[in-house]
Amino acid sequence: MNQHDTIAVIDFGGQYAHLIANRVRRLNVYSEIYPASVKVEDLAHVKGIILSGGPQSVHEENGLKCDPGIFELGVPVLGICYGHQVMTHLLGGTVESGEVKEYGRATLDITESENPLFQGCNKQEQVWMSHFDEVTNLPAGARIIGSSEDCKYAAIDFDNNRWGIQFHVEVTHTPNGLKMLDNFLNACKVERNWSLDQFIEDEITRIKEKTGDKNVFLLISGGVDSTVTFLILEKALGAGRVYGLFVDHGLMRKDEGQQVEESLKKIGVTNLHVYQGEEEFLEALKGKYEPEEKRRIIGDKFLEVQRKVTEELNLNPDEWLLGQGTIYPDTIESGGTAHADKIKTHHNRVPQIEELIKQGKIIEPIKDLYKDEVRAVGEKLGLESKMVWRHPFPGPGLGVRCLCAEGPDNVPNAAQLELDLNTFLTEEGLTLVAKVLPLKSVGVQGDVRSYRHPVVLSGQADWADLEAISPKLTNRFLDLNRVLYHLNDTPITETQVTPAYLTQDRLNLLREADAIVHQTITEEGLLREIWQFPVVLIPLSINDRPGESIVLRPVSSEEAMTANFTEIDWSIARQMTDKILALPGVSTVFYDITNKPPGTIEWE
Ligand code: XMP
């Protein structure tokens, strides 16, 4: 197997470490993720170390630190955000709570442009910040090489071999971030010999070694991850030695269960067991409306079905390994070797499977890859483009896109809130009218889950107006976490929410609306441009139009940690709206103009 020069990424929590590892691989360098507790001895082979960001403070009692011995290894080190603070703190500098919380876009003034870290960069670079604490004093010998308006110590060179930066180079919002990372890798003098072709070749060897003469039982959803896993396993082991289980929970899109089955068969999945669970799942969800409870029920049901099927199949752990299409966000690394500790809910953990995990009898060939890499591997393995570019679809499926309600959930002081909102809109020079909806959806604000109301804006506006006003409203009006734009020209005078749960009829209506959207964006060639396009059913009617409403939620994203709502051509949006309004039982159609944060991609 090919030996690679390695960059170690020390994980201080959150998803930053994985994103950094992905970016390092994009630069053709192999990377490994280690927990903050890694021992220095285990890093003896690495050519460079990157300390990731994380959500903590170095002053918290439990704030993760790393072994200061890391700085004695002599290899280049780059600390990013929290990693930058940990490094400064351990090397003798000071970190304090910042007076200004800096979040989002900032301008970095590079004060030492000849620094190796900034080769090829501009004097001023747009960077992405997200911090509260900041460095306020440097250890001896260190110097500032870049500052932003609110962060003097935004970039530090400790000793021409160790750097700390307060901003995130790994996110796309730092346009020259990859260049800076590339510069750091140059300083590490690593060989750039990691490639996906090499990965596939190495992985096939690993799969053969790990399986020996055993077969693999693979949980398959029809999504790109599990399909690519199937293909790579089959490439390594040959047809017939991989057995797939696809659980149709009845919360799929229109005709999707059937399509998944057909496409899997088309690519050679012959050993496929399909479990029809629709009635069972809906029965378990009867009368439930609370998002987390719905998710838990769906997750539990998955486990129950798997338990049933694995028991029926009577898999002997001595003859079978369990395969899973886990990818990096589902993987928590430990001890330097990747062990999938957190597996998607629908993949774990019947007792028999747990036992297999304990015994190391689980195989997850793409657990270190990122969605873009998985897609590239899929293409290399000959997967048809329709499957490669399928939009991500959540495990609980339409279950989390079909909002349920016991009845209206009114915002306190709705009348005053609407008055304030409308005054604000006028002050902003907009002729839009605001209406707060008597229901809630899930969002993420300050890294914490929120469950708040959407506001709908009706009237004439262009994309630039909507883009500007949306964050202003959610920043100022704390009862809100989502902003919608009304796609039907009628002003909203009245709203009504009726009790609604997960029923076949409601799911069918949602499936029809979703199918219209899916067909339109496919015909318009927008499938690639839009990263994901949830279509949501909410039990709300307006004015004298009975029925329920549909929300269109197209987003652009790279890794789903952050997302922008996608602006699609008005004529296309109108075309979809007219078709959806023609469906019996649809009251109106909204367009979700919320970024993430503050709104999550899904509504629940
Ligand atoms: P949110 O709604 O949290 O979603 O912004 C981020 C991404 O994750 C997907 N998602 C899920 N995927 N099981 C999954 O496999 C789940 O339970 C689940 N919930 C959300 C979501 O579709 C988006 O791509």
Side-chain angles (χ1 to χ4, degrees):
M1 215 178 294
N2 198 32
Q3 289 303 314
H4 306 281
D5 278 0
T6 305
I7 292 293
V9 181
I10 310 294
D11 184 1
F12 283 117
Q15 289 188 40
Y16 294 114
H18 298 283
L19 203 49
I20 296 166
N22 169 261
R23 297 299 189 261
V24 170
R25 290 198 294 268
R26 270 196 202 179
L27 295 163
N28 296 108
V29 174
Y30 179 68
S31 63
E32 288 172 353
I33 296 173
Y34 291 87
S37 58
V38 62
K39 295 196 178 69
V40 179
E41 307 86 270
D42 294 332
L43 297 174
H45 63 295
V46 308
K47 298 273 180 180
I49 297 171
I50 301 176
L51 308 180
S52 85
Q56 328 162 51
S57 165
V58 292
H59 299 298
E60 278 168 30
E61 212 174 304
N62 299 325
L64 287 172
K65 310 274 174 7
C66 58
D67 187 333
I70 281 180
F71 307 115
E72 308 302 322
L73 284 170
V75 296
V77 183
L78 175 67
I80 300 177
C81 192
Y82 180 71
H84 162 66
Q85 296 168 6
V86 169
M87 197 164 161
T88 307
H89 177 74
L90 293 177
L91 291 173
T94 315
V95 176
E96 289 178 273
S97 257
E99 305 224 321
V100 181
K101 189 177 164 100
E102 205 180 13
Y103 182 78
R105 212 167 275 174
T107 301
L108 177 77
D109 283 306
I110 295 179
T111 49
E112 190 180 299
S113 42
E114 64 282 11
N115 194 282
L117 196 63
F118 295 136
Q119 289 310 299
C121 295
N122 304 304
K123 280 292 283 178
Q124 284 200 323
E125 285 288 348
Q126 184 190 311
V127 295
W128 196 75
M129 297 270 196
S130 182
H131 65 107
F132 189 64
D133 282 0
E134 62 175 283
V135 171
T136 52
N137 209 356
L138 292 184
R143 62 189 194 275
I144 296 174
I145 54 173
S147 303
S148 74
E149 192 181 349
D150 292 317
C151 183
K152 182 173 164 195
Y153 300 93
I156 298 172
D157 187 328
F158 290 93
D159 58 1
N160 303 323
N161 199 37
R162 296 177 296 189
W163 294 265
I165 51 180
Q166 185 57 66
F167 52 92
H168 291 268
V169 280
E170 69 277 23
V171 301
T172 40
H173 299 85
T174 300
N176 256 336
L178 207 61
K179 169 139 246 30
M180 296 175 199
L181 200 56
D182 194 26
N183 289 335
F184 174 71
L185 296 179
N186 281 337
C188 298
K189 302 193 172 62
V190 274
E191 207 180 324
R192 312 232 177 184
N193 60 354
W194 192 89
S195 69
L196 279 176
D197 288 315
Q198 187 65 52
F199 167 82
I200 295 171
E201 209 177 290
D202 289 353
E203 202 49 48
I204 285 172
T205 312
R206 271 194 289 269
I207 293 168
K208 282 183 181 156
E209 276 170 7
K210 179 143 188 170
T211 47
D213 54 6
K214 296 190 181 93
N215 295 329
V216 179
F217 175 76
L218 178 70
L219 299 161
I220 199 161
S221 70
V224 62
D225 306 341
S226 52
T227 307
V228 166
T229 304
F230 177 84
L231 287 180
I232 196 165
L233 283 167
E234 212 180 48
K235 197 168 162 76
L237 302 176
R241 286 184 59 196
V242 193
Y243 183 99
L245 168 66
F246 167 53
V247 179
D248 185 343
H249 51 21
L251 302 166
M252 310 289 283
R253 295 169 150 172
K254 190 177 178 186
D255 301 330
E256 195 171 27
Q258 199 188 331
Q259 276 167 15
V260 165
E261 209 178 321
E262 278 165 17
S263 2
L264 290 174
K265 292 205 165 132
K266 206 161 125 194
I267 58 164
V269 183
T270 44
N271 239 344
L272 181 72
H273 184 102
V274 181
Y275 184 93
Q276 293 295 354
E278 187 168 12
E279 279 177 24
E280 244 176 275
F281 275 79
L282 282 190
E283 183 57 33
L285 289 159
K286 221 175 182 168
K288 304 296 177 194
Y289 66 94
E290 204 277 321
E292 279 308 295
E293 191 181 10
K294 281 162 65 185
R295 278 181 170 271
R296 191 182 47 72
I297 291 171
I298 297 169
D300 284 352
K301 202 75 203 162
F302 257 117
L303 298 186
E304 203 183 300
V305 169
Q306 279 162 34
R307 191 182 305 125
K308 233 180 354 198
V309 177
T310 43
E311 272 164 15
E312 273 165 23
L313 289 170
N314 199 17
L315 302 186
N316 177 353
D318 294 332
E319 293 164 14
W320 288 85
L321 290 185
L322 175 75
Q324 300 197 121
T326 312
I327 65 168
Y328 92 86
D330 320 317
T331 308
I332 293 175
E333 312 286 339
S334 71
T337 347
H339 296 296
D341 187 47
K342 174 179 167 283
I343 302 164
K344 283 183 191 170
T345 316
H346 53 281
H347 287 167
N348 63 5
R349 290 216 167 181
V350 295
Q352 237 177 317
I353 290 173
E354 267 189 3
E355 192 51 38
L356 292 176
I357 295 172
K358 256 191 245 156
Q359 296 169 10
K361 288 179 174 170
I362 179 160
I363 189 159
E364 297 176 311
I366 56 167
K367 69 180 180 310
D368 294 325
L369 298 189
Y370 201 77
K371 198 76 163 190
D372 58 336
E373 293 167 323
V374 177
R375 285 184 161 145
V377 170
E379 272 175 340
K380 284 180 189 293
L381 294 176
L383 190 59
E384 60 175 346
S385 143
K386 201 170 108 193
M387 292 281 274
V388 168
W389 291 101
R390 268 190 86 191
H391 284 177
F393 190 61
L398 297 182
V400 293
R401 294 184 180 172
C402 190
L403 227 78
C404 301
E406 262 192 312
D409 185 346
N410 286 303
V411 68
N413 293 325
Q416 185 60 48
L417 176 60
E418 280 171 9
L419 215 59
D420 294 346
L421 277 160
N422 285 320
T423 309
F424 182 71
L425 289 169
T426 312
E427 281 166 11
E428 290 288 304
L430 298 170
T431 51
L432 294 164
V433 180
K435 186 87 195 156
V436 180
L437 299 187
L439 46 79
K440 286 179 181 162
S441 79
V442 175
V444 55
Q445 291 169 285
D447 290 338
V448 181
R449 176 188 196 264
S450 69
Y451 191 45
R452 294 180 183 160
H453 296 269
V455 60
V456 181
L457 305 178
S458 306
Q460 287 299 315
D462 56 26
W463 279 127
D465 293 335
L466 297 175
E467 204 181 290
I469 198 67
S470 171
K472 284 188 189 170
L473 296 180
T474 44
N475 283 348
R476 276 171 184 72
F477 298 91
L478 299 182
D479 288 311
L480 311 176
N481 64 357
R482 222 173 257 282
V483 186
L484 309 179
Y485 181 60
H486 195 201
L487 281 170
N488 172 358
D489 293 328
T490 348
I492 302 176
T493 48
E494 246 179 85
T495 55
Q496 199 181 359
V497 168
T498 41
Y501 305 96
L502 272 174
T503 59
Q504 198 56 270
D505 286 349
R506 295 189 72 220
L507 286 164
N508 282 340
L509 176 58
L510 176 54
R511 273 191 267 265
E512 290 304 324
D514 181 75
I516 290 171
V517 170
H518 195 73
Q519 191 187 350
T520 313
I521 61 170
T522 307
E523 284 169 6
E524 298 290 340
L526 293 173
L527 268 181
R528 296 275 276 269
E529 188 183 319
I530 299 171
W531 193 79
Q532 193 177 8
F533 200 149
V535 177
V536 185
L537 179 71
I538 57 177
L540 171 121
S541 60
I542 62 152
N543 307 349
D544 54 357
R545 293 185 55 92
E548 301 203 31
S549 299
I550 291 289
V551 182
L552 308 179
R553 170 83 173 129
V555 293
S556 328
S557 182
E558 263 211 30
E559 70 298 290
M561 273 172 70
T562 55
N564 295 332
F565 72 90
T566 314
E567 299 169 7
I568 60 179
D569 197 277
W570 281 123
S571 63
I572 299 173
R574 297 263 170 228
Q575 186 191 328
M576 288 193 277
T577 305
D578 290 345
K579 285 189 186 159
I580 293 170
L581 282 173
L583 292 173
V586 175
S587 176
T588 197
V589 182
F590 302 112
Y591 199 104
D592 192 334
I593 53 165
T594 324
N595 297 328
K596 174 184 178 179
T600 43
I601 295 176
E602 305 290 349
W603 269 49
E604 292 192 332

